Amino acid sequence: MMFELLVLNFQCCVREARYERLCSSKTILTVNGKFPGPTLYAYKGDEVIVDVFNKGNENITLHWHGVKQPQYPWSDGPEYVTQCPIKPGNKFSQKVIFSEEEGTLWWHAHSDWSRATVHGAIVVYPYRGTSYPFPKPHAEVPIILGKWWKEDIRYVFQEFVQSGGQPINSDAYTINGQPGDLYPCSRSDTFQLNVLSGKTYLFRLVSAVMNEILFFGVAKHKLTVIATDASYSKPLARDYVLISPGQTLDCLFVADQKPDRYYMAAAPYVTGVNVHFDNTSTTGIVKYEEFPNQAPFSSPPLFPYLPSYNDTSAAFNFSGSLRSLGTKDHPVDAPLVVDQKFMVTLSINAMPFPKTSCEGPNGTQLAASMNNRTFVNPSLDILQAYYYKIPGVYREIFPKHPPFVFNYTADYLPLELEISKIATELRTLPYNSAVEIVFQGTNLVAGIDHPMHLHGYSFYSVGWGLGNFDQTEDPQKYNLVDPPKRNTVTVPKNGWTTVRFWASNAYYILLLMERYSNLILINWWLPSN
Protein backbone atom coordinates (compact mmCIF):
# COMPACT_ATOMS: atom_id res chain seq x y z
CA MET A 1 0.00 0.00 0.00
CA MET A 2 1.32 3.43 -0.95
CA PHE A 3 0.92 6.34 1.43
CA GLU A 4 1.08 10.03 0.61
CA LEU A 5 4.10 11.94 1.95
CA LEU A 6 3.43 15.49 3.01
CA VAL A 7 5.96 18.11 4.07
CA LEU A 8 4.45 20.47 6.63
CA ASN A 9 5.74 23.63 8.27
CA PHE A 10 5.68 24.54 11.96
CA GLN A 11 6.78 27.90 13.36
CA CYS A 12 8.51 28.02 16.77
CA CYS A 13 9.36 31.38 18.26
CA VAL A 14 11.35 30.94 21.45
CA ARG A 15 10.71 34.00 23.60
CA GLU A 16 10.12 35.06 27.17
CA ALA A 17 6.63 35.61 28.54
CA ARG A 18 5.19 36.63 31.89
CA TYR A 19 3.25 33.97 33.82
CA GLU A 20 1.54 34.03 37.20
CA ARG A 21 1.34 30.95 39.39
CA LEU A 22 1.09 30.32 43.16
CA CYS A 23 0.39 33.98 44.07
CA SER A 24 3.46 35.34 42.26
CA SER A 25 4.62 36.03 38.72
CA LYS A 26 7.85 35.55 36.80
CA THR A 27 9.22 35.59 33.27
CA ILE A 28 9.75 32.18 31.69
CA LEU A 29 11.12 30.95 28.39
CA THR A 30 8.35 29.71 26.09
CA VAL A 31 7.58 28.70 22.53
CA ASN A 32 5.08 31.09 20.91
CA GLY A 33 4.37 32.55 24.36
CA LYS A 34 2.64 29.35 25.55
CA PHE A 35 3.24 27.15 28.60
CA PRO A 36 3.11 24.29 27.84
CA GLY A 37 4.02 24.99 24.24
CA PRO A 38 1.87 24.27 21.18
CA THR A 39 1.06 20.69 20.17
CA LEU A 40 2.68 19.48 16.95
CA TYR A 41 0.22 17.42 14.87
CA ALA A 42 1.31 15.11 12.04
CA TYR A 43 0.47 11.84 10.34
CA LYS A 44 2.70 8.79 10.18
CA GLY A 45 5.02 9.25 7.20
CA ASP A 46 4.93 13.06 7.25
CA GLU A 47 7.96 15.32 7.29
CA VAL A 48 7.68 18.57 9.22
CA ILE A 49 10.00 21.53 8.78
CA VAL A 50 10.22 23.37 12.10
CA ASP A 51 11.55 26.92 11.84
CA VAL A 52 13.01 27.80 15.24
CA PHE A 53 13.46 31.54 15.85
CA ASN A 54 15.43 32.20 19.04
CA LYS A 55 14.18 35.53 20.37
CA GLY A 56 15.15 34.66 23.93
CA ASN A 57 18.23 35.71 25.88
CA GLU A 58 20.02 32.34 26.00
CA ASN A 59 21.13 29.53 23.73
CA ILE A 60 18.50 26.92 22.91
CA THR A 61 18.03 23.59 21.13
CA LEU A 62 14.82 21.62 20.53
CA HIS A 63 14.63 17.81 20.68
CA TRP A 64 11.86 15.62 19.23
CA HIS A 65 11.66 13.03 22.00
CA GLY A 66 11.06 9.53 20.63
CA VAL A 67 11.20 10.47 16.93
CA LYS A 68 13.53 8.08 15.11
CA GLN A 69 14.73 10.62 12.51
CA PRO A 70 15.96 7.88 10.14
CA GLN A 71 19.40 8.73 8.73
CA TYR A 72 18.88 12.38 9.65
CA PRO A 73 20.47 13.07 13.05
CA TRP A 74 21.24 16.72 12.35
CA SER A 75 17.84 17.92 13.56
CA ASP A 76 17.58 15.81 16.70
CA GLY A 77 18.56 18.62 19.06
CA PRO A 78 20.83 17.57 21.96
CA GLU A 79 23.28 20.37 22.62
CA TYR A 80 26.91 19.63 21.66
CA VAL A 81 26.01 16.10 20.57
CA THR A 82 24.19 16.54 17.24
CA GLN A 83 24.35 20.31 16.99
CA CYS A 84 25.63 23.48 18.52
CA PRO A 85 22.93 25.55 20.25
CA ILE A 86 20.88 28.21 18.46
CA LYS A 87 22.16 31.57 19.64
CA PRO A 88 19.84 34.46 20.59
CA GLY A 89 18.70 36.29 17.47
CA ASN A 90 19.38 33.32 15.18
CA LYS A 91 17.11 30.93 13.27
CA PHE A 92 17.54 27.21 12.60
CA SER A 93 15.24 25.02 10.49
CA GLN A 94 14.88 21.45 11.73
CA LYS A 95 13.46 18.60 9.65
CA VAL A 96 11.40 16.15 11.73
CA ILE A 97 10.72 12.81 10.02
CA PHE A 98 7.83 10.69 11.31
CA SER A 99 8.52 7.17 10.12
CA GLU A 100 7.49 4.36 12.52
CA GLU A 101 5.95 6.40 15.35
CA GLU A 102 2.18 6.36 15.87
CA GLY A 103 0.60 7.90 18.94
CA THR A 104 1.83 10.46 21.47
CA LEU A 105 5.35 11.84 21.84
CA TRP A 106 6.66 15.23 22.94
CA TRP A 107 9.22 17.89 22.12
CA HIS A 108 11.37 19.86 24.54
CA ALA A 109 14.42 22.06 24.87
CA HIS A 110 17.71 20.21 25.27
CA SER A 111 19.84 22.95 26.84
CA ASP A 112 20.44 22.93 30.59
CA TRP A 113 17.02 23.07 32.30
CA SER A 114 15.19 25.09 29.64
CA ARG A 115 12.89 22.12 29.08
CA ALA A 116 11.16 22.90 32.41
CA THR A 117 9.06 25.43 30.48
CA VAL A 118 9.98 24.83 26.82
CA HIS A 119 8.04 21.69 25.92
CA GLY A 120 4.86 20.45 24.27
CA ALA A 121 3.08 17.37 22.97
CA ILE A 122 3.48 15.64 19.59
CA VAL A 123 0.46 13.79 18.18
CA VAL A 124 1.20 11.36 15.34
CA TYR A 125 -1.94 10.01 13.68
CA PRO A 126 -1.98 6.76 11.65
CA TYR A 127 -1.26 6.94 7.92
CA ARG A 128 -3.86 9.01 6.11
CA GLY A 129 -6.73 6.74 5.11
CA THR A 130 -6.14 4.27 7.94
CA SER A 131 -7.49 4.12 11.48
CA TYR A 132 -6.60 3.28 15.07
CA PRO A 133 -6.52 -0.39 16.18
CA PHE A 134 -9.34 0.53 18.61
CA PRO A 135 -12.70 2.34 18.22
CA LYS A 136 -12.29 6.04 17.51
CA PRO A 137 -12.78 8.03 20.73
CA HIS A 138 -15.25 10.89 21.12
CA ALA A 139 -12.38 13.34 21.74
CA GLU A 140 -8.63 13.44 22.35
CA VAL A 141 -7.11 15.33 25.26
CA PRO A 142 -3.38 16.11 25.69
CA ILE A 143 -2.49 15.99 29.38
CA ILE A 144 1.02 17.28 30.08
CA LEU A 145 2.44 16.78 33.56
CA GLY A 146 5.08 19.30 34.60
CA LYS A 147 6.66 21.21 37.49
CA TRP A 148 6.72 24.82 38.63
CA TRP A 149 9.28 26.74 40.67
CA LYS A 150 8.55 30.21 41.99
CA GLU A 151 12.25 30.93 41.44
CA ASP A 152 13.63 31.63 37.99
CA ILE A 153 14.51 28.22 36.53
CA ARG A 154 17.94 29.55 35.51
CA TYR A 155 18.65 30.38 39.15
CA VAL A 156 17.45 26.93 40.23
CA PHE A 157 19.81 25.32 37.73
CA GLN A 158 22.79 27.53 38.61
CA GLU A 159 22.29 26.97 42.33
CA PHE A 160 22.04 23.23 41.68
CA VAL A 161 25.36 23.17 39.81
CA GLN A 162 27.18 25.48 42.21
CA SER A 163 26.02 23.67 45.33
CA GLY A 164 27.11 20.26 44.11
CA GLY A 165 24.05 18.74 45.78
CA GLN A 166 20.41 18.20 44.90
CA PRO A 167 18.24 20.85 43.21
CA ILE A 168 15.80 22.75 45.39
CA ASN A 169 12.32 21.26 45.44
CA SER A 170 9.75 22.59 43.02
CA ASP A 171 6.80 24.46 44.48
CA ALA A 172 4.16 22.52 42.53
CA TYR A 173 3.45 19.87 39.95
CA THR A 174 1.21 20.92 37.09
CA ILE A 175 -1.41 19.51 34.72
CA ASN A 176 -1.37 21.36 31.41
CA GLY A 177 0.55 24.18 33.07
CA GLN A 178 -1.82 24.59 36.05
CA PRO A 179 -0.98 23.48 39.62
CA GLY A 180 -4.57 22.70 40.59
CA ASP A 181 -6.79 23.84 43.43
CA LEU A 182 -4.82 22.18 46.25
CA TYR A 183 -2.18 24.90 45.82
CA PRO A 184 -2.63 28.57 46.81
CA CYS A 185 -4.04 31.03 44.26
CA SER A 186 -4.76 28.20 41.80
CA ARG A 187 -8.44 27.27 42.10
CA SER A 188 -9.80 29.53 39.38
CA ASP A 189 -7.27 28.31 36.82
CA THR A 190 -7.40 24.58 37.59
CA PHE A 191 -7.50 22.49 34.40
CA GLN A 192 -11.03 21.20 33.80
CA LEU A 193 -12.18 18.62 31.28
CA ASN A 194 -15.89 18.56 30.45
CA VAL A 195 -17.16 15.10 29.46
CA LEU A 196 -20.42 13.52 28.30
CA SER A 197 -21.80 10.41 29.99
CA GLY A 198 -21.04 7.23 28.10
CA LYS A 199 -18.42 8.77 25.82
CA THR A 200 -14.82 7.56 25.48
CA TYR A 201 -11.88 9.98 25.55
CA LEU A 202 -8.27 9.41 24.56
CA PHE A 203 -5.89 10.89 27.12
CA ARG A 204 -2.52 11.65 25.53
CA LEU A 205 -0.42 11.68 28.70
CA VAL A 206 3.06 13.25 28.66
CA SER A 207 5.52 13.55 31.55
CA ALA A 208 7.55 16.74 31.16
CA VAL A 209 8.53 16.54 34.85
CA MET A 210 12.20 17.26 35.49
CA ASN A 211 12.97 14.58 38.08
CA GLU A 212 10.20 12.65 39.79
CA ILE A 213 8.27 9.65 38.50
CA LEU A 214 4.50 10.16 38.96
CA PHE A 215 1.40 8.14 39.68
CA PHE A 216 -1.67 9.47 37.81
CA GLY A 217 -5.35 8.58 38.02
CA VAL A 218 -8.95 9.81 37.91
CA ALA A 219 -11.26 9.21 40.88
CA LYS A 220 -13.75 6.31 40.43
CA HIS A 221 -12.63 5.77 36.81
CA LYS A 222 -10.23 3.35 35.18
CA LEU A 223 -7.62 4.26 32.59
CA THR A 224 -6.96 1.74 29.82
CA VAL A 225 -3.45 2.03 28.41
CA ILE A 226 -3.41 1.32 24.65
CA ALA A 227 0.00 2.77 23.68
CA THR A 228 3.39 3.46 25.24
CA ASP A 229 5.80 6.00 23.75
CA ALA A 230 3.93 6.03 20.39
CA SER A 231 3.79 2.24 20.09
CA TYR A 232 0.51 0.36 20.49
CA SER A 233 0.11 -2.01 23.42
CA LYS A 234 -2.35 -4.63 24.59
CA PRO A 235 -5.17 -2.85 26.51
CA LEU A 236 -4.33 -2.63 30.21
CA ALA A 237 -7.07 -1.25 32.50
CA ARG A 238 -5.91 0.13 35.85
CA ASP A 239 -7.04 2.54 38.58
CA TYR A 240 -3.76 4.43 38.17
CA VAL A 241 -0.77 4.56 35.83
CA LEU A 242 2.90 5.23 36.43
CA ILE A 243 4.83 7.56 34.15
CA SER A 244 8.52 8.52 34.25
CA PRO A 245 10.14 11.74 33.00
CA GLY A 246 10.16 11.61 29.20
CA GLN A 247 7.56 8.86 28.84
CA THR A 248 4.15 9.08 27.18
CA LEU A 249 1.04 6.93 27.60
CA ASP A 250 -2.11 6.82 25.49
CA CYS A 251 -5.04 5.95 27.76
CA LEU A 252 -8.73 5.47 27.05
CA PHE A 253 -11.06 7.06 29.60
CA VAL A 254 -14.76 6.19 29.66
CA ALA A 255 -17.16 8.62 31.35
CA ASP A 256 -19.18 5.83 32.97
CA GLN A 257 -19.79 7.11 36.49
CA LYS A 258 -22.50 9.17 38.18
CA PRO A 259 -22.52 12.71 36.73
CA ASP A 260 -20.50 14.86 39.13
CA ARG A 261 -17.02 16.36 39.43
CA TYR A 262 -14.00 14.10 39.93
CA TYR A 263 -10.34 14.90 40.52
CA MET A 264 -7.66 13.74 38.14
CA ALA A 265 -4.40 13.87 40.09
CA ALA A 266 -0.70 13.11 39.95
CA ALA A 267 1.64 12.45 42.90
CA PRO A 268 5.32 11.45 43.09
CA TYR A 269 6.93 8.04 43.32
CA VAL A 270 10.39 8.39 44.92
CA THR A 271 12.39 5.62 46.60
CA GLY A 272 15.80 7.20 47.23
CA VAL A 273 16.91 7.34 50.87
CA ASN A 274 17.78 10.85 52.12
CA VAL A 275 16.58 12.26 48.80
CA HIS A 276 14.37 15.31 49.26
CA PHE A 277 11.56 15.86 46.77
CA ASP A 278 8.35 17.76 46.16
CA ASN A 279 5.82 15.59 48.01
CA THR A 280 2.66 17.39 46.82
CA SER A 281 -0.15 16.52 44.40
CA THR A 282 -1.41 18.34 41.32
CA THR A 283 -5.06 18.13 40.33
CA GLY A 284 -7.39 18.76 37.46
CA ILE A 285 -11.16 18.27 37.37
CA VAL A 286 -13.30 15.99 35.21
CA LYS A 287 -16.80 17.46 35.10
CA TYR A 288 -19.77 15.69 33.55
CA GLU A 289 -21.67 18.12 31.33
CA GLU A 290 -24.99 16.55 32.41
CA PHE A 291 -24.36 17.73 35.95
CA PRO A 292 -26.48 20.90 36.33
CA ASN A 293 -24.49 24.00 37.12
CA GLN A 294 -26.94 25.08 39.80
CA ALA A 295 -26.77 21.75 41.67
CA PRO A 296 -24.34 21.34 44.59
CA PHE A 297 -21.14 19.51 43.79
CA SER A 298 -19.63 16.82 45.94
CA SER A 299 -17.42 18.89 48.21
CA PRO A 300 -14.57 18.48 47.68
CA PRO A 301 -14.49 16.39 44.47
CA LEU A 302 -13.58 12.75 44.97
CA PHE A 303 -9.81 12.14 44.94
CA PRO A 304 -8.35 9.12 43.10
CA TYR A 305 -6.54 6.30 44.83
CA LEU A 306 -2.81 6.78 44.24
CA PRO A 307 -0.20 4.52 45.86
CA SER A 308 2.23 5.76 48.50
CA TYR A 309 5.28 7.70 47.27
CA ASN A 310 7.58 4.70 47.96
CA ASP A 311 5.33 1.83 46.86
CA THR A 312 7.73 -0.09 44.62
CA SER A 313 5.36 -3.04 44.33
CA ALA A 314 2.58 -0.84 42.94
CA ALA A 315 4.96 0.94 40.59
CA PHE A 316 6.45 -2.11 38.95
CA ASN A 317 3.26 -4.12 39.04
CA PHE A 318 1.98 -1.55 36.55
CA SER A 319 5.15 -1.24 34.46
CA GLY A 320 5.71 -4.99 34.43
CA SER A 321 2.18 -5.60 33.10
CA LEU A 322 2.62 -3.62 29.87
CA ARG A 323 2.77 -5.66 26.65
CA SER A 324 3.17 -4.77 22.96
CA LEU A 325 0.05 -5.16 20.81
CA GLY A 326 1.70 -7.78 18.58
CA THR A 327 -0.74 -7.91 15.65
CA LYS A 328 -0.17 -8.27 11.91
CA ASP A 329 -0.32 -4.50 11.40
CA HIS A 330 1.66 -3.77 14.56
CA PRO A 331 4.09 -6.68 14.97
CA VAL A 332 6.79 -7.30 17.58
CA ASP A 333 10.34 -7.37 16.25
CA ALA A 334 12.47 -7.89 19.36
CA PRO A 335 15.81 -9.57 18.59
CA LEU A 336 15.71 -13.20 19.71
CA VAL A 337 19.48 -13.62 19.42
CA VAL A 338 21.91 -10.77 20.07
CA ASP A 339 25.47 -10.23 18.88
CA GLN A 340 26.30 -7.05 20.82
CA LYS A 341 25.91 -7.24 24.61
CA PHE A 342 26.48 -4.43 27.09
CA MET A 343 26.30 -4.36 30.87
CA VAL A 344 26.01 -0.74 32.02
CA THR A 345 26.03 0.33 35.66
CA LEU A 346 24.10 3.48 36.61
CA SER A 347 25.41 5.36 39.62
CA ILE A 348 25.25 8.57 41.58
CA ASN A 349 28.85 9.51 42.29
CA ALA A 350 30.66 11.90 44.62
CA MET A 351 33.31 13.98 42.87
CA PRO A 352 35.97 16.23 44.42
CA PHE A 353 34.67 19.82 44.47
CA PRO A 354 36.84 22.91 44.00
CA LYS A 355 34.92 24.93 46.60
CA THR A 356 35.55 24.74 50.32
CA SER A 357 32.01 23.56 51.04
CA CYS A 358 29.66 21.47 48.99
CA GLU A 359 26.35 19.74 49.62
CA GLY A 360 27.47 16.29 48.45
CA PRO A 361 28.74 13.61 50.86
CA ASN A 362 31.85 14.74 52.76
CA GLY A 363 31.96 18.05 50.88
CA THR A 364 31.89 16.45 47.42
CA GLN A 365 29.83 17.19 44.31
CA LEU A 366 27.13 14.79 43.11
CA ALA A 367 27.58 13.42 39.61
CA ALA A 368 26.02 10.68 37.49
CA SER A 369 27.85 7.92 35.67
CA MET A 370 27.53 4.88 33.43
CA ASN A 371 30.20 2.23 33.81
CA ASN A 372 32.01 4.75 36.01
CA ARG A 373 32.17 7.35 33.19
CA THR A 374 30.73 10.83 33.73
CA PHE A 375 30.21 12.66 30.46
CA VAL A 376 31.65 16.12 29.85
CA ASN A 377 30.47 18.35 27.00
CA PRO A 378 33.00 18.87 24.21
CA SER A 379 33.53 22.29 22.62
CA LEU A 380 32.39 20.95 19.22
CA ASP A 381 29.30 18.81 18.71
CA ILE A 382 30.14 15.12 18.46
CA LEU A 383 28.15 14.38 15.32
CA GLN A 384 30.05 17.05 13.37
CA ALA A 385 33.35 15.69 14.64
CA TYR A 386 32.35 12.16 13.60
CA TYR A 387 31.08 13.19 10.17
CA TYR A 388 34.09 15.34 9.29
CA LYS A 389 36.60 13.06 11.06
CA ILE A 390 37.83 15.81 13.40
CA PRO A 391 40.19 14.26 15.95
CA GLY A 392 40.38 14.92 19.67
CA VAL A 393 36.66 15.53 20.35
CA TYR A 394 35.83 12.09 21.76
CA ARG A 395 37.31 8.62 22.26
CA GLU A 396 35.76 5.34 21.06
CA ILE A 397 36.58 3.38 24.20
CA PHE A 398 33.43 3.38 26.30
CA PRO A 399 33.57 0.03 28.17
CA LYS A 400 31.03 -2.68 27.34
CA HIS A 401 31.14 -3.88 30.94
CA PRO A 402 31.66 -2.20 34.33
CA PRO A 403 35.36 -1.52 34.99
CA PHE A 404 34.84 -2.61 38.60
CA VAL A 405 32.82 -5.68 39.51
CA PHE A 406 31.31 -5.52 43.00
CA ASN A 407 28.06 -6.14 44.86
CA TYR A 408 26.28 -3.25 43.12
CA THR A 409 23.30 -3.12 45.48
CA ALA A 410 25.04 -3.71 48.82
CA ASP A 411 24.07 -1.49 51.74
CA TYR A 412 27.66 -0.37 52.28
CA LEU A 413 30.14 0.15 49.46
CA PRO A 414 33.81 1.27 49.49
CA LEU A 415 34.24 5.03 49.22
CA GLU A 416 36.84 4.66 46.46
CA LEU A 417 34.08 3.40 44.14
CA GLU A 418 32.18 6.69 44.47
CA ILE A 419 34.57 8.70 42.27
CA SER A 420 33.95 8.35 38.52
CA LYS A 421 36.13 9.08 35.52
CA ILE A 422 35.41 12.32 33.63
CA ALA A 423 35.31 11.45 29.93
CA THR A 424 33.74 11.97 26.50
CA GLU A 425 33.57 8.39 25.26
CA LEU A 426 31.45 6.35 22.86
CA ARG A 427 31.46 3.04 21.04
CA THR A 428 30.59 2.11 17.45
CA LEU A 429 28.34 -0.77 16.39
CA PRO A 430 28.04 -2.70 13.14
CA TYR A 431 25.02 -1.59 11.15
CA ASN A 432 21.86 -3.65 11.78
CA SER A 433 23.41 -5.55 14.67
CA ALA A 434 21.14 -6.95 17.39
CA VAL A 435 21.93 -5.17 20.63
CA GLU A 436 21.20 -5.98 24.27
CA ILE A 437 21.89 -3.56 27.12
CA VAL A 438 21.49 -4.54 30.75
CA PHE A 439 21.16 -1.37 32.84
CA GLN A 440 22.22 -2.15 36.41
CA GLY A 441 21.42 0.35 39.15
CA THR A 442 23.92 0.68 41.99
CA ASN A 443 23.71 1.84 45.60
CA LEU A 444 26.72 4.15 45.35
CA VAL A 445 26.04 7.37 47.32
CA ALA A 446 22.27 6.92 46.91
CA GLY A 447 20.31 4.25 45.10
CA ILE A 448 17.51 5.80 43.01
CA ASP A 449 15.27 4.92 40.07
CA HIS A 450 16.83 5.89 36.73
CA PRO A 451 14.70 6.88 33.70
CA MET A 452 16.81 6.02 30.63
CA HIS A 453 16.18 7.36 27.12
CA LEU A 454 17.65 6.44 23.72
CA HIS A 455 17.70 9.00 20.93
CA GLY A 456 17.09 7.75 17.41
CA TYR A 457 15.60 4.44 18.52
CA SER A 458 12.81 2.76 20.35
CA PHE A 459 13.66 -0.48 22.08
CA TYR A 460 11.98 -3.48 23.64
CA SER A 461 12.04 -3.69 27.42
CA VAL A 462 12.44 -7.46 27.73
CA GLY A 463 13.12 -7.87 31.44
CA TRP A 464 13.63 -6.23 34.82
CA GLY A 465 14.26 -7.19 38.41
CA LEU A 466 15.45 -6.07 41.82
CA GLY A 467 18.96 -6.68 43.11
CA ASN A 468 21.96 -7.65 41.00
CA PHE A 469 21.45 -9.02 37.48
CA ASP A 470 22.16 -12.75 37.26
CA GLN A 471 23.51 -13.44 33.77
CA THR A 472 22.58 -17.13 34.04
CA GLU A 473 19.14 -17.09 35.64
CA ASP A 474 17.57 -13.73 34.69
CA PRO A 475 17.72 -14.06 30.86
CA GLN A 476 15.55 -17.17 31.15
CA LYS A 477 12.73 -14.93 32.40
CA TYR A 478 12.89 -12.44 29.52
CA ASN A 479 9.68 -11.67 27.64
CA LEU A 480 10.62 -12.01 23.97
CA VAL A 481 7.04 -12.59 22.78
CA ASP A 482 5.31 -9.25 23.40
CA PRO A 483 7.64 -6.96 25.40
CA PRO A 484 6.60 -3.29 25.56
CA LYS A 485 8.26 -0.98 23.06
CA ARG A 486 9.54 2.23 24.65
CA ASN A 487 11.95 5.10 24.06
CA THR A 488 12.33 5.75 27.81
CA VAL A 489 12.44 3.06 30.48
CA THR A 490 12.76 3.14 34.26
CA VAL A 491 15.53 1.15 35.92
CA PRO A 492 14.34 0.38 39.47
CA LYS A 493 16.29 1.48 42.51
CA ASN A 494 19.00 -1.12 43.17
CA GLY A 495 17.64 -3.20 40.32
CA TRP A 496 18.15 -3.81 36.61
CA THR A 497 16.35 -3.48 33.28
CA THR A 498 17.26 -5.16 29.98
CA VAL A 499 16.47 -3.65 26.58
CA ARG A 500 16.97 -5.02 23.07
CA PHE A 501 16.87 -3.34 19.67
CA TRP A 502 18.25 -3.48 16.14
CA ALA A 503 20.98 -0.92 15.34
CA SER A 504 19.26 -0.22 12.03
CA ASN A 505 19.29 3.57 12.04
CA ALA A 506 22.39 4.95 10.33
CA TYR A 507 22.54 7.35 13.20
CA TYR A 508 23.62 7.49 16.78
CA ILE A 509 22.12 6.40 20.04
CA LEU A 510 22.15 8.82 22.92
CA LEU A 511 21.70 7.44 26.39
CA LEU A 512 21.02 9.82 29.19
CA MET A 513 19.91 9.99 32.78
CA GLU A 514 16.80 12.13 32.81
CA ARG A 515 17.23 12.70 36.53
CA TYR A 516 19.83 15.35 37.46
CA SER A 517 19.89 16.57 33.88
CA ASN A 518 22.96 18.75 34.28
CA LEU A 519 24.90 15.72 35.47
CA ILE A 520 23.93 13.48 32.60
CA LEU A 521 26.23 10.88 31.21
CA ILE A 522 25.98 10.59 27.47
CA ASN A 523 27.36 7.55 25.71
CA TRP A 524 26.38 6.62 22.23
CA TRP A 525 26.95 4.12 19.47
CA LEU A 526 27.40 5.04 15.84
CA PRO A 527 26.60 2.24 13.38
CA SER A 528 29.72 1.49 11.38
CA ASN A 529 29.79 2.30 7.69
Side-chain angles (χ1 to χ4, degrees), residues 244-493:
S244 294
Q247 290 182 336
T248 63
L249 294 171
D250 286 0
C251 305
L252 295 178
F253 167 88
V254 182
D256 57 2
Q257 296 298 309
K258 169 188 169 184
D260 204 332
R261 293 191 312 165
Y262 299 88
Y263 272 138
M264 64 171 67
Y269 166 68
V270 179
T271 57
V273 177
N274 297 323
V275 175
H276 63 75
F277 63 97
D278 181 354
N279 193 14
T280 61
S281 299
T282 179
T283 57
I285 293 176
V286 173
K287 177 185 175 294
Y288 280 69
E289 291 190 5
E290 295 86 351
F291 194 89
N293 290 329
Q294 67 273 17
F297 292 116
S298 300
S299 183
L302 290 173
F303 200 87
Y305 164 75
L306 297 177
S308 171
Y309 74 89
N310 59 356
D311 193 337
T312 297
S313 176
F316 284 92
N317 177 276
F318 170 78
S319 298
S321 299
L322 295 168
R323 300 286 185 270
S324 283
L325 186 56
T327 63
K328 179 182 177 181
D329 292 332
H330 304 282
V332 174
D333 188 29
L336 301 180
V337 179
V338 296
D339 44 47
Q340 298 287 328
K341 288 189 176 183
F342 291 82
M343 172 80 168
V344 179
T345 53
L346 311 175
S347 302
I348 298 298
N349 298 85
M351 307 293 291
F353 197 65
K355 292 187 176 182
T356 55
S357 63
C358 189
E359 294 181 5
N362 301 314
T364 58
Q365 177 184 23
L366 294 178
S369 73
M370 294 183 190
N371 279 352
N372 206 47
R373 267 52 173 180
T374 294
F375 180 82
V376 60
N377 269 341
S379 57
L380 177 71
D381 69 270
I382 295 175
L383 182 62
Q384 187 176 172
Y386 171 78
Y387 190 82
Y388 291 108
K389 296 180 172 56
I390 300 172
V393 177
Y394 59 82
R395 302 177 71 192
E396 298 186 40
I397 58 171
F398 177 75
K400 296 182 72 171
H401 303 283
F404 307 111
V405 178
F406 55 97
N407 182 358
Y408 306 115
T409 59
D411 290 335
Y412 301 100
L413 293 169
L415 292 177
E416 57 265 26
L417 293 175
E418 293 184 354
I419 299 177
S420 58
K421 176 183 177 182
I422 304 297
T424 306
E425 296 179 358
L426 58 87
R427 181 176 289 270
T428 58
L429 285 177
Y431 178 73
N432 212 31
S433 56
V435 184
E436 175 182 289
I437 305 177
V438 178
F439 293 115
Q440 173 68 61
T442 79
N443 203 32
L444 286 172
V445 182
I448 59 174
D449 298 278
H450 297 281
M452 304 299 299
H453 171 52
L454 276 70
H455 287 220
Y457 286 85
S458 289
F459 52 80
Y460 291 97
S461 180
V462 300
W464 69 274
L466 301 177
N468 296 326
F469 177 76
D470 186 315
Q471 60 183 350
T472 302
E473 297 293 330
D474 287 329
Q476 298 181 33
K477 296 178 285 187
Y478 286 169
N479 174 13
L480 300 178
V481 177
D482 56 358
K485 194 174 185 181
R486 311 300 304 254
N487 61 56
T488 305
V489 69
T490 301
V491 180
K493 172 189 173 184

